[in-house]
Amino acid sequence: MAAEVQPLPLVKLPSGPSPVTPEQRYWRSFKNQKSHTSTATWPISHISFPAATGAVLSNSMVAATKLNDLFAVTSGPRVDIFSIRKRELLKTIGRFDSEAHSGEIRADGRVLVAGEDSGKMQVFDVGGGTRAVILKTWHIHKQPVWVTKWSPTELTTLMSCSDDKTVRLWDLPSNNPSHTFTGHSDYVRSGAFIPGGNSNLLVTGSYDETVRVWDARTPGGSVFTFKHKDPIEEVLPLPGGTTLLAASGNAISVLDLVAAKPLRLITNHQKTVTSLSLASNGKRVVSGSLDGHVKVFETSNWNVVFGSKYPSPILSLSVIAAGAAQEDRHLAVGMQSGVLAIRTKLSGAAAEKARERAAIEAAIGTSALDKIDAKNLKRKRAAVSNKNMDMLGESVDVIIPTTDTGSKKKRLKPWQRNYKDGFYAACLDEVIDMSGADDQPLVALTVLVALRHRSALREALEGRAEVSIIPLLKWVSKYIVDPRYLSICVDVSFHLYDLYSEHVGGSSELAEMFQSLLGKVSSAVSKAQTAIEVAGMLETLTLGNN
């Protein structure tokens, strides 16, 4: 039995490239990457910068920190302090007995707190001087302290989370915690203050797979608990104080603190999500994972608006804001390999230069632009090397250079650039044109002789239209009678005749020019013959007289 005839399927055309969205354009402007490798390639476990609060703008601000020009990077048994403006390492705090955790700078930029594996917590003065001074030490926790955070509203209040399953609230002048919260049954590895809670509301995440909200004003402390499937690696309250994000395994849960219920489960990562950070003044959330991916989410429908890939598992990240408007300045990513990658958002002249480069790339292609960049870089390196060699081994006050470094390099003329780049036909058209005021037959002769020497004369003459052949025939007709130009004019004439003689019948002007050239050559030959005859008669007369 014959098979049933199926309807003809429609042809599927290949889809074109997806358009670049404004969101992608914004995050792609974070360029100019700068990398730092930690000592002994310790993994970068934490990145933080002071939050912008009312305390930051107070008159008691330290002048050296100018609107929080510091951010902290924790790796191994040390905390590095970097400048936000220069992206350079300013100082290193290495006064820890074991591996350090969660180095956090206070909102006013004066002090830093960090925990360590020994259970100690230390507060350092980082506002002035090149060396950090220990201001306070607590050794109440019995196991490693993984989280230390300053209150966003009170400069002397901070919290800590430890592997001893406790969460503690501290007052800086006191030697003992003001509150101790118990309820977790496993390591507590993440925590934060909830905005708008006057340092009384805290949220923590534990390896017992729960997220707990604590209130220091209630007797028991714990307000409610969210149970998850996997250990909690990170918690992040949103600025409004009513929504909370929790990273559990490869998922991010969106939790409503008012209704005490989950709103959404985000599962865009393939491996464990290790870090979360706010961006764009709380309108975006950035996540990092052990799969090496960084993803940016918008906070209305929680869709991914941008993503990028890094070469190593990501342990920490932070979108560092700066300025009075708290605009995104850097995207700092810490990896398992010990590399800190800092991408900076271009602005001002740098952004304009990037836009011009993108326009050139769209016009000529990426590969051509890469070749130009490589050529320019090679030229710059050669210039620096030559300058250094000139100064090598000299121990004098003034060195007189052998070349005139003050004079500007002469710009090449159009025909010189074309000849240098191998555009021989265009070069010949530039010099052979006799209609301009700057007609220089010697330049044309130089180019023609050089092309003949390179065996490129025929290449420069072939493939031409009638309008570009006429000037060549005019030039040859004019200078073929000059003995200085005779040799090259004869070669050009032979090539033109060989290439375009078959087209003479279809163009009256071309036929007329070849006929004019023939007349010039015939007249020159006749004159030459007459000159030879006169020379013979003069020679005979001279011999007769002798």
Side-chain angles (χ1 to χ4, degrees), residues 279-301:
S280 302
N281 291 314
K283 298 177 182 179
R284 298 290 182 266
V285 171
V286 184
S287 65
S289 168
L290 294 181
D291 58 14
H293 284 273
V294 169
K295 296 184 183 294
V296 182
F297 301 89
E298 47 88 15
T299 56
S300 55
N301 296 317

Side-chain angles (χ1 to χ4, degrees), residues 32-102:
N32 192 20
Q33 178 165 313
K34 188 172 184 178
S35 299
H36 298 269
T37 303
S38 63
T39 306
T41 63
W42 288 311
I44 309 295
S45 60
H46 189 72
I47 304 171
S48 69
F49 73 102
T53 65
V56 175
L57 302 178
S58 65
N59 294 329
S60 61
M61 179 73 169
V62 179
T65 57
K66 289 184 180 179
L67 290 178
N68 292 334
D69 185 41
L70 305 175
F71 68 96
V73 177
T74 307
S75 62
R78 60 195 297 168
V79 177
D80 294 325
I81 309 298
F82 286 84
S83 167
I84 294 178
R85 287 180 298 163
K86 299 181 179 180
R87 302 187 302 174
E88 295 178 353
L89 179 63
L90 299 180
K91 66 181 68 176
T92 297
I93 304 174
R95 305 178 70 176
F96 299 97
D97 298 330
S98 55
E99 185 172 346
H101 298 291
S102 188

Side-chain angles (χ1 to χ4, degrees), residues 35-272:
S35 299
H36 298 269
T37 303
S38 63
T39 306
T41 63
W42 288 311
I44 309 295
S45 60
H46 189 72
I47 304 171
S48 69
F49 73 102
T53 65
V56 175
L57 302 178
S58 65
N59 294 329
S60 61
M61 179 73 169
V62 179
T65 57
K66 289 184 180 179
L67 290 178
N68 292 334
D69 185 41
L70 305 175
F71 68 96
V73 177
T74 307
S75 62
R78 60 195 297 168
V79 177
D80 294 325
I81 309 298
F82 286 84
S83 167
I84 294 178
R85 287 180 298 163
K86 299 181 179 180
R87 302 187 302 174
E88 295 178 353
L89 179 63
L90 299 180
K91 66 181 68 176
T92 297
I93 304 174
R95 305 178 70 176
F96 299 97
D97 298 330
S98 55
E99 185 172 346
H101 298 291
S102 188
E104 291 272 344
I105 301 175
R106 198 170 65 179
D108 62 355
R110 290 185 175 185
V111 295
L112 175 142
V113 63
E116 57 178 290
D117 278 351
S118 65
K120 286 198 302 185
M121 295 169 54
Q122 298 186 86
V123 179
F124 300 89
D125 178 11
V126 297
T130 58
R131 181 177 178 137
V133 179
I134 299 177
L135 300 179
K136 189 84 174 182
T137 300
W138 292 290
H139 202 166
I140 304 297
H141 286 290
K142 303 304 179 184
Q143 292 192 36
V145 179
W146 282 83
V147 177
T148 54
K149 285 188 182 294
W150 293 100
S151 166
T153 56
E154 299 177 15
L155 294 180
T156 60
T157 303
L158 63 151
M159 65 173 291
S160 63
C161 304
S162 170
D163 280 356
D164 62 10
K165 308 172 189 177
T166 65
V167 180
R168 300 177 190 265
L169 202 59
W170 305 82
D171 188 48
L172 188 57
S174 177
N175 293 324
N176 294 299
S178 57
H179 289 84
T180 300
F181 305 100
T182 58
H184 283 297
S185 58
D186 206 336
Y187 303 150
V188 187
R189 296 287 178 90
S190 57
F193 285 95
I194 296 178
N198 294 324
S199 303
N200 292 313
L201 290 178
L202 294 78
V203 60
T204 58
S206 169
Y207 274 27
D208 62 7
E209 302 172 359
T210 63
V211 173
R212 290 180 180 267
V213 177
W214 311 88
D215 190 343
R217 296 164 294 188
T218 61
S222 179
V223 179
F224 45 80
T225 304
F226 295 95
K227 177 67 175 177
H228 290 73
K229 181 182 177 181
D230 296 299
I232 309 300
E233 296 289 345
E234 181 73 296
V235 292
L236 178 67
L238 296 189
T242 61
T243 307
L244 171 70
L245 302 182
S248 174
N250 66 339
I252 303 171
S253 58
V254 184
L255 310 175
D256 188 339
L257 297 181
V258 177
K261 66 177 183 180
L263 297 177
R264 179 133 184 198
L265 188 67
I266 305 170
T267 57
N268 293 89
H269 285 285
Q270 302 300 316
K271 293 184 179 181
T272 301

